[in-house]
Amino acid sequence: MNLLIVDDEFLEIEQLEYLIKPHFPNWHVYKAQDASQAMALAKQHRIHLAFLDIQMPGKTGLELAKELQQLYELDIIMVTAYQSFDYAQQAIRVGVSDYLTKPIIEEELIQTIKKYDKWSSQNETIQAALSIIHERYAEKLTVNSIAAEVFVHPSYLSRKFLEVQQIGLNEYINNYRLEKARASMLNNPKLSISEIAEQSGFNSQHYFSVAFKKKYGMAPREFKVMEVNHNNEA
């Protein structure tokens, strides 16, 4: 399950993640500090549940909720430090699922989340598959090999994965590897393109370059040059 936490206070995001992770360790948590970051993440990843702070610079959490719901169906929990009836009414009008006030109490938080745990509870197989991908993306992974590890038929895994994640399993693996490769180029600029490709799970540098350009609009070498120039200017 993909969870999005949006709050302009980073410590608030960290606290919420800290409270949630022990209860739902297989959930993938995405974090944003404003509406533009949140929308960018929501377009890259299929979000199932979002925690939105009402009071943020720029667009409010209520405005962000409207935009997220225009992308696709998801559950939204509004978080605020103000116990305002007017805020609650507005949240209901824009289709927000629930409303929590700060400071957040762990027991209340977990009870609230459990109502939206349908993705996780009904799809333990998918969560197991995601864990394999996230932990071992650099290895040779196929639908058949993952299906064998989670004890289901490959066709069932493919169908269920597409249903839950809204993306094919092989495409998800490829995208995840590309994200890791991009992060590796940013964090380890001295690595060669072939090293990055291999460490990210691609057995062909040519295929990696083609896939990277398709996703990011430029070849890996162009991306590296751009980042080097950017860092030199900074």
PDB file of all heavy atoms in Angstrom, residues 99-135:
ATOM      1  N   TYR A  99     -10.899  12.803   9.660  1.00  0.00           N
ATOM      2  CA  TYR A  99     -10.412  14.089  10.157  1.00  0.00           C
ATOM      3  C   TYR A  99      -9.747  13.849  11.501  1.00  0.00           C
ATOM      4  O   TYR A  99     -10.377  13.352  12.428  1.00  0.00           O
ATOM      5  CB  TYR A  99     -11.633  15.007  10.301  1.00  0.00           C
ATOM      6  CG  TYR A  99     -11.360  16.454  10.605  1.00  0.00           C
ATOM      7  CD1 TYR A  99     -11.153  17.373   9.592  1.00  0.00           C
ATOM      8  CD2 TYR A  99     -11.359  16.923  11.919  1.00  0.00           C
ATOM      9  CE1 TYR A  99     -10.952  18.720   9.868  1.00  0.00           C
ATOM     10  CE2 TYR A  99     -11.157  18.260  12.208  1.00  0.00           C
ATOM     11  CZ  TYR A  99     -10.958  19.159  11.177  1.00  0.00           C
ATOM     12  OH  TYR A  99     -10.765  20.486  11.446  1.00  0.00           O
ATOM     13  N   LEU A 100      -8.434  14.137  11.605  1.00  0.00           N
ATOM     14  CA  LEU A 100      -7.706  13.954  12.858  1.00  0.00           C
ATOM     15  C   LEU A 100      -7.143  15.292  13.325  1.00  0.00           C
ATOM     16  O   LEU A 100      -6.738  16.125  12.517  1.00  0.00           O
ATOM     17  CB  LEU A 100      -6.549  12.970  12.672  1.00  0.00           C
ATOM     18  CG  LEU A 100      -6.885  11.495  12.454  1.00  0.00           C
ATOM     19  CD1 LEU A 100      -5.616  10.711  12.164  1.00  0.00           C
ATOM     20  CD2 LEU A 100      -7.597  10.912  13.663  1.00  0.00           C
ATOM     21  N   THR A 101      -7.108  15.496  14.642  1.00  0.00           N
ATOM     22  CA  THR A 101      -6.552  16.739  15.184  1.00  0.00           C
ATOM     23  C   THR A 101      -5.216  16.470  15.868  1.00  0.00           C
ATOM     24  O   THR A 101      -4.981  15.397  16.420  1.00  0.00           O
ATOM     25  CB  THR A 101      -7.522  17.384  16.201  1.00  0.00           C
ATOM     26  OG1 THR A 101      -7.835  16.427  17.216  1.00  0.00           O
ATOM     27  CG2 THR A 101      -8.801  17.831  15.523  1.00  0.00           C
ATOM     28  N   LYS A 102      -4.337  17.468  15.779  1.00  0.00           N
ATOM     29  CA  LYS A 102      -3.030  17.400  16.440  1.00  0.00           C
ATOM     30  C   LYS A 102      -3.166  17.877  17.882  1.00  0.00           C
ATOM     31  O   LYS A 102      -3.995  18.739  18.155  1.00  0.00           O
ATOM     32  CB  LYS A 102      -2.022  18.280  15.703  1.00  0.00           C
ATOM     33  CG  LYS A 102      -1.783  17.891  14.259  1.00  0.00           C
ATOM     34  CD  LYS A 102      -0.830  18.889  13.610  1.00  0.00           C
ATOM     35  CE  LYS A 102      -0.598  18.591  12.144  1.00  0.00           C
ATOM     36  NZ  LYS A 102       0.278  19.593  11.500  1.00  0.00           N
ATOM     37  N   PRO A 103      -2.337  17.385  18.816  1.00  0.00           N
ATOM     38  CA  PRO A 103      -1.350  16.328  18.607  1.00  0.00           C
ATOM     39  C   PRO A 103      -2.019  14.978  18.397  1.00  0.00           C
ATOM     40  O   PRO A 103      -3.005  14.653  19.069  1.00  0.00           O
ATOM     41  CB  PRO A 103      -0.531  16.356  19.902  1.00  0.00           C
ATOM     42  CG  PRO A 103      -1.477  16.883  20.927  1.00  0.00           C
ATOM     43  CD  PRO A 103      -2.348  17.877  20.210  1.00  0.00           C
ATOM     44  N   ILE A 104      -1.490  14.205  17.472  1.00  0.00           N
ATOM     45  CA  ILE A 104      -2.102  12.926  17.116  1.00  0.00           C
ATOM     46  C   ILE A 104      -1.801  11.876  18.181  1.00  0.00           C
ATOM     47  O   ILE A 104      -0.657  11.706  18.607  1.00  0.00           O
ATOM     48  CB  ILE A 104      -1.587  12.452  15.745  1.00  0.00           C
ATOM     49  CG1 ILE A 104      -2.120  13.394  14.655  1.00  0.00           C
ATOM     50  CG2 ILE A 104      -2.019  11.022  15.463  1.00  0.00           C
ATOM     51  CD1 ILE A 104      -1.606  13.092  13.276  1.00  0.00           C
ATOM     52  N   ILE A 105      -2.849  11.198  18.601  1.00  0.00           N
ATOM     53  CA  ILE A 105      -2.729  10.116  19.589  1.00  0.00           C
ATOM     54  C   ILE A 105      -2.582   8.805  18.833  1.00  0.00           C
ATOM     55  O   ILE A 105      -3.381   8.501  17.937  1.00  0.00           O
ATOM     56  CB  ILE A 105      -3.959  10.079  20.506  1.00  0.00           C
ATOM     57  CG1 ILE A 105      -4.098  11.414  21.257  1.00  0.00           C
ATOM     58  CG2 ILE A 105      -3.881   8.909  21.476  1.00  0.00           C
ATOM     59  CD1 ILE A 105      -5.389  11.560  22.008  1.00  0.00           C
ATOM     60  N   GLU A 106      -1.562   8.030  19.153  1.00  0.00           N
ATOM     61  CA  GLU A 106      -1.252   6.815  18.401  1.00  0.00           C
ATOM     62  C   GLU A 106      -2.436   5.858  18.308  1.00  0.00           C
ATOM     63  O   GLU A 106      -2.760   5.356  17.224  1.00  0.00           O
ATOM     64  CB  GLU A 106      -0.057   6.089  19.029  1.00  0.00           C
ATOM     65  CG  GLU A 106       0.333   4.837  18.260  1.00  0.00           C
ATOM     66  CD  GLU A 106       1.583   4.177  18.821  1.00  0.00           C
ATOM     67  OE1 GLU A 106       2.119   4.684  19.835  1.00  0.00           O
ATOM     68  OE2 GLU A 106       2.021   3.165  18.249  1.00  0.00           O
ATOM     69  N   GLU A 107      -3.103   5.610  19.423  1.00  0.00           N
ATOM     70  CA  GLU A 107      -4.219   4.663  19.419  1.00  0.00           C
ATOM     71  C   GLU A 107      -5.332   5.128  18.476  1.00  0.00           C
ATOM     72  O   GLU A 107      -5.888   4.339  17.696  1.00  0.00           O
ATOM     73  CB  GLU A 107      -4.775   4.510  20.834  1.00  0.00           C
ATOM     74  CG  GLU A 107      -5.896   3.468  20.929  1.00  0.00           C
ATOM     75  CD  GLU A 107      -6.397   3.298  22.352  1.00  0.00           C
ATOM     76  OE1 GLU A 107      -5.772   3.852  23.288  1.00  0.00           O
ATOM     77  OE2 GLU A 107      -7.418   2.614  22.532  1.00  0.00           O
ATOM     78  N   GLU A 108      -5.634   6.418  18.527  1.00  0.00           N
ATOM     79  CA  GLU A 108      -6.676   6.964  17.655  1.00  0.00           C
ATOM     80  C   GLU A 108      -6.252   6.889  16.189  1.00  0.00           C
ATOM     81  O   GLU A 108      -7.056   6.558  15.309  1.00  0.00           O
ATOM     82  CB  GLU A 108      -6.945   8.421  18.032  1.00  0.00           C
ATOM     83  CG  GLU A 108      -8.017   9.090  17.189  1.00  0.00           C
ATOM     84  CD  GLU A 108      -8.212  10.550  17.562  1.00  0.00           C
ATOM     85  OE1 GLU A 108      -7.654  10.989  18.587  1.00  0.00           O
ATOM     86  OE2 GLU A 108      -8.909  11.253  16.805  1.00  0.00           O
ATOM     87  N   LEU A 109      -4.987   7.167  15.928  1.00  0.00           N
ATOM     88  CA  LEU A 109      -4.454   7.105  14.570  1.00  0.00           C
ATOM     89  C   LEU A 109      -4.581   5.709  13.986  1.00  0.00           C
ATOM     90  O   LEU A 109      -5.079   5.530  12.866  1.00  0.00           O
ATOM     91  CB  LEU A 109      -2.987   7.535  14.577  1.00  0.00           C
ATOM     92  CG  LEU A 109      -2.185   7.307  13.288  1.00  0.00           C
ATOM     93  CD1 LEU A 109      -2.696   8.179  12.162  1.00  0.00           C
ATOM     94  CD2 LEU A 109      -0.703   7.550  13.530  1.00  0.00           C
ATOM     95  N   ILE A 110      -4.130   4.712  14.733  1.00  0.00           N
ATOM     96  CA  ILE A 110      -4.144   3.331  14.237  1.00  0.00           C
ATOM     97  C   ILE A 110      -5.563   2.829  14.026  1.00  0.00           C
ATOM     98  O   ILE A 110      -5.850   2.146  13.031  1.00  0.00           O
ATOM     99  CB  ILE A 110      -3.370   2.397  15.195  1.00  0.00           C
ATOM    100  CG1 ILE A 110      -1.915   2.870  15.335  1.00  0.00           C
ATOM    101  CG2 ILE A 110      -3.420   0.967  14.698  1.00  0.00           C
ATOM    102  CD1 ILE A 110      -1.180   3.080  14.021  1.00  0.00           C
ATOM    103  N   GLN A 111      -6.473   3.172  14.938  1.00  0.00           N
ATOM    104  CA  GLN A 111      -7.871   2.779  14.773  1.00  0.00           C
ATOM    105  C   GLN A 111      -8.461   3.390  13.513  1.00  0.00           C
ATOM    106  O   GLN A 111      -9.249   2.761  12.806  1.00  0.00           O
ATOM    107  CB  GLN A 111      -8.684   3.199  16.006  1.00  0.00           C
ATOM    108  CG  GLN A 111      -8.430   2.367  17.248  1.00  0.00           C
ATOM    109  CD  GLN A 111      -8.716   0.891  17.028  1.00  0.00           C
ATOM    110  OE1 GLN A 111      -9.731   0.516  16.418  1.00  0.00           O
ATOM    111  NE2 GLN A 111      -7.828   0.036  17.520  1.00  0.00           N
ATOM    112  N   THR A 112      -8.073   4.614  13.227  1.00  0.00           N
ATOM    113  CA  THR A 112      -8.565   5.287  12.018  1.00  0.00           C
ATOM    114  C   THR A 112      -8.012   4.614  10.766  1.00  0.00           C
ATOM    115  O   THR A 112      -8.746   4.334   9.814  1.00  0.00           O
ATOM    116  CB  THR A 112      -8.157   6.777  12.023  1.00  0.00           C
ATOM    117  OG1 THR A 112      -8.725   7.413  13.162  1.00  0.00           O
ATOM    118  CG2 THR A 112      -8.639   7.470  10.761  1.00  0.00           C
ATOM    119  N   ILE A 113      -6.733   4.331  10.773  1.00  0.00           N
ATOM    120  CA  ILE A 113      -6.101   3.727   9.600  1.00  0.00           C
ATOM    121  C   ILE A 113      -6.673   2.350   9.300  1.00  0.00           C
ATOM    122  O   ILE A 113      -6.829   1.979   8.131  1.00  0.00           O
ATOM    123  CB  ILE A 113      -4.573   3.617   9.803  1.00  0.00           C
ATOM    124  CG1 ILE A 113      -3.951   5.001   9.815  1.00  0.00           C
ATOM    125  CG2 ILE A 113      -3.940   2.783   8.693  1.00  0.00           C
ATOM    126  CD1 ILE A 113      -2.455   4.996  10.041  1.00  0.00           C
ATOM    127  N   LYS A 114      -6.991   1.595  10.324  1.00  0.00           N
ATOM    128  CA  LYS A 114      -7.484   0.231  10.120  1.00  0.00           C
ATOM    129  C   LYS A 114      -8.747   0.198   9.268  1.00  0.00           C
ATOM    130  O   LYS A 114      -9.023  -0.789   8.590  1.00  0.00           O
ATOM    131  CB  LYS A 114      -7.732  -0.450  11.470  1.00  0.00           C
ATOM    132  CG  LYS A 114      -6.454  -0.924  12.146  1.00  0.00           C
ATOM    133  CD  LYS A 114      -6.740  -1.619  13.467  1.00  0.00           C
ATOM    134  CE  LYS A 114      -5.453  -2.132  14.091  1.00  0.00           C
ATOM    135  NZ  LYS A 114      -5.681  -2.760  15.412  1.00  0.00           N
ATOM    136  N   LYS A 115      -9.504   1.294   9.281  1.00  0.00           N
ATOM    137  CA  LYS A 115     -10.714   1.360   8.454  1.00  0.00           C
ATOM    138  C   LYS A 115     -10.364   1.402   6.969  1.00  0.00           C
ATOM    139  O   LYS A 115     -11.182   1.057   6.123  1.00  0.00           O
ATOM    140  CB  LYS A 115     -11.533   2.600   8.820  1.00  0.00           C
ATOM    141  CG  LYS A 115     -12.142   2.551  10.209  1.00  0.00           C
ATOM    142  CD  LYS A 115     -13.105   3.690  10.436  1.00  0.00           C
ATOM    143  CE  LYS A 115     -12.388   5.006  10.598  1.00  0.00           C
ATOM    144  NZ  LYS A 115     -13.317   6.112  10.931  1.00  0.00           N
ATOM    145  N   TYR A 116      -9.126   1.838   6.674  1.00  0.00           N
ATOM    146  CA  TYR A 116      -8.709   1.964   5.281  1.00  0.00           C
ATOM    147  C   TYR A 116      -7.630   0.952   4.920  1.00  0.00           C
ATOM    148  O   TYR A 116      -6.909   1.127   3.940  1.00  0.00           O
ATOM    149  CB  TYR A 116      -8.192   3.389   5.032  1.00  0.00           C
ATOM    150  CG  TYR A 116      -9.192   4.420   5.458  1.00  0.00           C
ATOM    151  CD1 TYR A 116      -9.046   5.097   6.663  1.00  0.00           C
ATOM    152  CD2 TYR A 116     -10.327   4.667   4.697  1.00  0.00           C
ATOM    153  CE1 TYR A 116      -9.991   6.020   7.087  1.00  0.00           C
ATOM    154  CE2 TYR A 116     -11.278   5.587   5.111  1.00  0.00           C
ATOM    155  CZ  TYR A 116     -11.097   6.265   6.306  1.00  0.00           C
ATOM    156  OH  TYR A 116     -12.046   7.158   6.729  1.00  0.00           O
ATOM    157  N   ASP A 117      -7.565  -0.105   5.716  1.00  0.00           N
ATOM    158  CA  ASP A 117      -6.530  -1.110   5.531  1.00  0.00           C
ATOM    159  C   ASP A 117      -6.945  -2.184   4.530  1.00  0.00           C
ATOM    160  O   ASP A 117      -6.348  -3.232   4.456  1.00  0.00           O
ATOM    161  CB  ASP A 117      -6.199  -1.760   6.881  1.00  0.00           C
ATOM    162  CG  ASP A 117      -4.930  -2.594   6.814  1.00  0.00           C
ATOM    163  OD1 ASP A 117      -4.115  -2.343   5.921  1.00  0.00           O
ATOM    164  OD2 ASP A 117      -4.776  -3.500   7.638  1.00  0.00           O
ATOM    165  N   LYS A 118      -7.990  -1.902   3.751  1.00  0.00           N
ATOM    166  CA  LYS A 118      -8.474  -2.906   2.797  1.00  0.00           C
ATOM    167  C   LYS A 118      -7.412  -3.289   1.782  1.00  0.00           C
ATOM    168  O   LYS A 118      -7.291  -4.437   1.377  1.00  0.00           O
ATOM    169  CB  LYS A 118      -9.717  -2.400   2.066  1.00  0.00           C
ATOM    170  CG  LYS A 118      -9.545  -1.087   1.314  1.00  0.00           C
ATOM    171  CD  LYS A 118     -10.865  -0.664   0.683  1.00  0.00           C
ATOM    172  CE  LYS A 118     -10.721   0.639  -0.105  1.00  0.00           C
ATOM    173  NZ  LYS A 118     -10.485   1.785   0.763  1.00  0.00           N
ATOM    174  N   TRP A 119      -6.595  -2.283   1.360  1.00  0.00           N
ATOM    175  CA  TRP A 119      -5.546  -2.588   0.379  1.00  0.00           C
ATOM    176  C   TRP A 119      -4.543  -3.574   0.965  1.00  0.00           C
ATOM    177  O   TRP A 119      -4.133  -4.537   0.313  1.00  0.00           O
ATOM    178  CB  TRP A 119      -4.824  -1.305  -0.019  1.00  0.00           C
ATOM    179  CG  TRP A 119      -5.695  -0.321  -0.724  1.00  0.00           C
ATOM    180  CD1 TRP A 119      -6.316   0.764  -0.180  1.00  0.00           C
ATOM    181  CD2 TRP A 119      -6.092  -0.349  -2.094  1.00  0.00           C
ATOM    182  NE1 TRP A 119      -7.058   1.411  -1.129  1.00  0.00           N
ATOM    183  CE2 TRP A 119      -6.934   0.752  -2.306  1.00  0.00           C
ATOM    184  CE3 TRP A 119      -5.797  -1.199  -3.151  1.00  0.00           C
ATOM    185  CZ2 TRP A 119      -7.491   1.025  -3.540  1.00  0.00           C
ATOM    186  CZ3 TRP A 119      -6.344  -0.926  -4.384  1.00  0.00           C
ATOM    187  CH2 TRP A 119      -7.175   0.172  -4.571  1.00  0.00           C
ATOM    188  N   SER A 120      -4.153  -3.331   2.213  1.00  0.00           N
ATOM    189  CA  SER A 120      -3.129  -4.173   2.823  1.00  0.00           C
ATOM    190  C   SER A 120      -3.679  -5.532   3.225  1.00  0.00           C
ATOM    191  O   SER A 120      -3.113  -6.564   2.905  1.00  0.00           O
ATOM    192  CB  SER A 120      -2.553  -3.467   4.051  1.00  0.00           C
ATOM    193  OG  SER A 120      -1.559  -4.259   4.631  1.00  0.00           O
ATOM    194  N   SER A 121      -4.800  -5.540   3.922  1.00  0.00           N
ATOM    195  CA  SER A 121      -5.337  -6.788   4.457  1.00  0.00           C
ATOM    196  C   SER A 121      -5.783  -7.735   3.357  1.00  0.00           C
ATOM    197  O   SER A 121      -5.678  -8.951   3.496  1.00  0.00           O
ATOM    198  CB  SER A 121      -6.510  -6.491   5.401  1.00  0.00           C
ATOM    199  OG  SER A 121      -7.552  -5.849   4.712  1.00  0.00           O
ATOM    200  N   GLN A 122      -6.308  -7.202   2.247  1.00  0.00           N
ATOM    201  CA  GLN A 122      -6.803  -8.048   1.172  1.00  0.00           C
ATOM    202  C   GLN A 122      -5.716  -8.404   0.174  1.00  0.00           C
ATOM    203  O   GLN A 122      -5.918  -9.191  -0.731  1.00  0.00           O
ATOM    204  CB  GLN A 122      -7.966  -7.336   0.449  1.00  0.00           C
ATOM    205  CG  GLN A 122      -9.190  -7.144   1.320  1.00  0.00           C
ATOM    206  CD  GLN A 122     -10.285  -6.362   0.618  1.00  0.00           C
ATOM    207  OE1 GLN A 122     -10.187  -6.055  -0.558  1.00  0.00           O
ATOM    208  NE2 GLN A 122     -11.341  -6.042   1.347  1.00  0.00           N
ATOM    209  N   ASN A 123      -4.556  -7.810   0.321  1.00  0.00           N
ATOM    210  CA  ASN A 123      -3.528  -8.015  -0.694  1.00  0.00           C
ATOM    211  C   ASN A 123      -2.154  -8.285  -0.078  1.00  0.00           C
ATOM    212  O   ASN A 123      -1.159  -7.670  -0.457  1.00  0.00           O
ATOM    213  CB  ASN A 123      -3.463  -6.801  -1.611  1.00  0.00           C
ATOM    214  CG  ASN A 123      -4.772  -6.555  -2.320  1.00  0.00           C
ATOM    215  OD1 ASN A 123      -5.147  -7.287  -3.224  1.00  0.00           O
ATOM    216  ND2 ASN A 123      -5.493  -5.544  -1.899  1.00  0.00           N
ATOM    217  N   GLU A 124      -2.123  -9.194   0.885  1.00  0.00           N
ATOM    218  CA  GLU A 124      -0.859  -9.528   1.526  1.00  0.00           C
ATOM    219  C   GLU A 124       0.135 -10.088   0.509  1.00  0.00           C
ATOM    220  O   GLU A 124       1.350  -9.883   0.635  1.00  0.00           O
ATOM    221  CB  GLU A 124      -1.093 -10.534   2.649  1.00  0.00           C
ATOM    222  CG  GLU A 124      -1.868  -9.957   3.830  1.00  0.00           C
ATOM    223  CD  GLU A 124      -2.095 -10.971   4.924  1.00  0.00           C
ATOM    224  OE1 GLU A 124      -1.618 -12.120   4.765  1.00  0.00           O
ATOM    225  OE2 GLU A 124      -2.740 -10.631   5.919  1.00  0.00           O
ATOM    226  N   THR A 125      -0.385 -10.782  -0.497  1.00  0.00           N
ATOM    227  CA  THR A 125       0.482 -11.328  -1.548  1.00  0.00           C
ATOM    228  C   THR A 125       1.205 -10.212  -2.284  1.00  0.00           C
ATOM    229  O   THR A 125       2.409 -10.305  -2.561  1.00  0.00           O
ATOM    230  CB  THR A 125      -0.359 -12.139  -2.551  1.00  0.00           C
ATOM    231  OG1 THR A 125      -0.927 -13.259  -1.873  1.00  0.00           O
ATOM    232  CG2 THR A 125       0.509 -12.645  -3.705  1.00  0.00           C
ATOM    233  N   ILE A 126       0.476  -9.139  -2.579  1.00  0.00           N
ATOM    234  CA  ILE A 126       1.073  -8.014  -3.304  1.00  0.00           C
ATOM    235  C   ILE A 126       2.106  -7.312  -2.424  1.00  0.00           C
ATOM    236  O   ILE A 126       3.168  -6.907  -2.898  1.00  0.00           O
ATOM    237  CB  ILE A 126      -0.006  -7.019  -3.758  1.00  0.00           C
ATOM    238  CG1 ILE A 126      -1.031  -7.723  -4.642  1.00  0.00           C
ATOM    239  CG2 ILE A 126       0.622  -5.855  -4.508  1.00  0.00           C
ATOM    240  CD1 ILE A 126      -0.441  -8.464  -5.811  1.00  0.00           C
ATOM    241  N   GLN A 127       1.801  -7.167  -1.139  1.00  0.00           N
ATOM    242  CA  GLN A 127       2.754  -6.545  -0.222  1.00  0.00           C
ATOM    243  C   GLN A 127       4.044  -7.358  -0.153  1.00  0.00           C
ATOM    244  O   GLN A 127       5.144  -6.799  -0.103  1.00  0.00           O
ATOM    245  CB  GLN A 127       2.137  -6.410   1.172  1.00  0.00           C
ATOM    246  CG  GLN A 127       0.951  -5.471   1.240  1.00  0.00           C
ATOM    247  CD  GLN A 127       1.302  -4.065   0.781  1.00  0.00           C
ATOM    248  OE1 GLN A 127       2.355  -3.551   1.110  1.00  0.00           O
ATOM    249  NE2 GLN A 127       0.424  -3.451   0.016  1.00  0.00           N
ATOM    250  N   ALA A 128       3.906  -8.671  -0.156  1.00  0.00           N
ATOM    251  CA  ALA A 128       5.086  -9.535  -0.121  1.00  0.00           C
ATOM    252  C   ALA A 128       5.899  -9.370  -1.404  1.00  0.00           C
ATOM    253  O   ALA A 128       7.136  -9.319  -1.375  1.00  0.00           O
ATOM    254  CB  ALA A 128       4.661 -10.987   0.048  1.00  0.00           C
ATOM    255  N   ALA A 129       5.200  -9.286  -2.539  1.00  0.00           N
ATOM    256  CA  ALA A 129       5.885  -9.084  -3.822  1.00  0.00           C
ATOM    257  C   ALA A 129       6.609  -7.751  -3.848  1.00  0.00           C
ATOM    258  O   ALA A 129       7.747  -7.653  -4.322  1.00  0.00           O
ATOM    259  CB  ALA A 129       4.873  -9.171  -4.968  1.00  0.00           C
ATOM    260  N   LEU A 130       5.966  -6.709  -3.325  1.00  0.00           N
ATOM    261  CA  LEU A 130       6.584  -5.388  -3.280  1.00  0.00           C
ATOM    262  C   LEU A 130       7.840  -5.391  -2.412  1.00  0.00           C
ATOM    263  O   LEU A 130       8.843  -4.757  -2.757  1.00  0.00           O
ATOM    264  CB  LEU A 130       5.588  -4.359  -2.749  1.00  0.00           C
ATOM    265  CG  LEU A 130       4.464  -3.955  -3.701  1.00  0.00           C
ATOM    266  CD1 LEU A 130       3.416  -3.124  -2.966  1.00  0.00           C
ATOM    267  CD2 LEU A 130       5.002  -3.188  -4.893  1.00  0.00           C
ATOM    268  N   SER A 131       7.783  -6.099  -1.296  1.00  0.00           N
ATOM    269  CA  SER A 131       8.945  -6.178  -0.407  1.00  0.00           C
ATOM    270  C   SER A 131      10.130  -6.825  -1.126  1.00  0.00           C
ATOM    271  O   SER A 131      11.276  -6.377  -0.995  1.00  0.00           O
ATOM    272  CB  SER A 131       8.599  -6.981   0.853  1.00  0.00           C
ATOM    273  OG  SER A 131       7.656  -6.302   1.636  1.00  0.00           O
ATOM    274  N   ILE A 132       9.848  -7.876  -1.895  1.00  0.00           N
ATOM    275  CA  ILE A 132      10.903  -8.551  -2.655  1.00  0.00           C
ATOM    276  C   ILE A 132      11.528  -7.580  -3.660  1.00  0.00           C
ATOM    277  O   ILE A 132      12.754  -7.484  -3.795  1.00  0.00           O
ATOM    278  CB  ILE A 132      10.341  -9.786  -3.388  1.00  0.00           C
ATOM    279  CG1 ILE A 132       9.958 -10.876  -2.367  1.00  0.00           C
ATOM    280  CG2 ILE A 132      11.350 -10.333  -4.393  1.00  0.00           C
ATOM    281  CD1 ILE A 132       9.193 -12.037  -2.955  1.00  0.00           C
ATOM    282  N   ILE A 133      10.678  -6.827  -4.369  1.00  0.00           N
ATOM    283  CA  ILE A 133      11.166  -5.882  -5.380  1.00  0.00           C
ATOM    284  C   ILE A 133      11.994  -4.778  -4.737  1.00  0.00           C
ATOM    285  O   ILE A 133      13.091  -4.441  -5.196  1.00  0.00           O
ATOM    286  CB  ILE A 133       9.989  -5.277  -6.164  1.00  0.00           C
ATOM    287  CG1 ILE A 133       9.264  -6.362  -6.959  1.00  0.00           C
ATOM    288  CG2 ILE A 133      10.477  -4.164  -7.105  1.00  0.00           C
ATOM    289  CD1 ILE A 133       7.920  -5.926  -7.523  1.00  0.00           C
ATOM    290  N   HIS A 134      11.482  -4.201  -3.644  1.00  0.00           N
ATOM    291  CA  HIS A 134      12.158  -3.075  -3.001  1.00  0.00           C
ATOM    292  C   HIS A 134      13.496  -3.475  -2.379  1.00  0.00           C
ATOM    293  O   HIS A 134      14.437  -2.683  -2.353  1.00  0.00           O
ATOM    294  CB  HIS A 134      11.253  -2.469  -1.928  1.00  0.00           C
ATOM    295  CG  HIS A 134      10.015  -1.844  -2.484  1.00  0.00           C
ATOM    296  ND1 HIS A 134       8.929  -1.503  -1.709  1.00  0.00           N
ATOM    297  CD2 HIS A 134       9.691  -1.485  -3.758  1.00  0.00           C
ATOM    298  CE1 HIS A 134       8.002  -0.986  -2.483  1.00  0.00           C
ATOM    299  NE2 HIS A 134       8.440  -0.959  -3.720  1.00  0.00           N
ATOM    300  N   GLU A 135      13.568  -4.703  -1.892  1.00  0.00           N
ATOM    301  CA  GLU A 135      14.785  -5.149  -1.220  1.00  0.00           C
ATOM    302  C   GLU A 135      15.806  -5.767  -2.174  1.00  0.00           C
ATOM    303  O   GLU A 135      17.014  -5.703  -1.929  1.00  0.00           O
ATOM    304  CB  GLU A 135      14.438  -6.174  -0.131  1.00  0.00           C
ATOM    305  CG  GLU A 135      13.630  -5.582   1.027  1.00  0.00           C
ATOM    306  CD  GLU A 135      13.093  -6.656   1.954  1.00  0.00           C
ATOM    307  OE1 GLU A 135      13.512  -7.830   1.813  1.00  0.00           O
ATOM    308  OE2 GLU A 135      12.238  -6.330   2.801  1.00  0.00           O
TER     309      GLU A 135
END
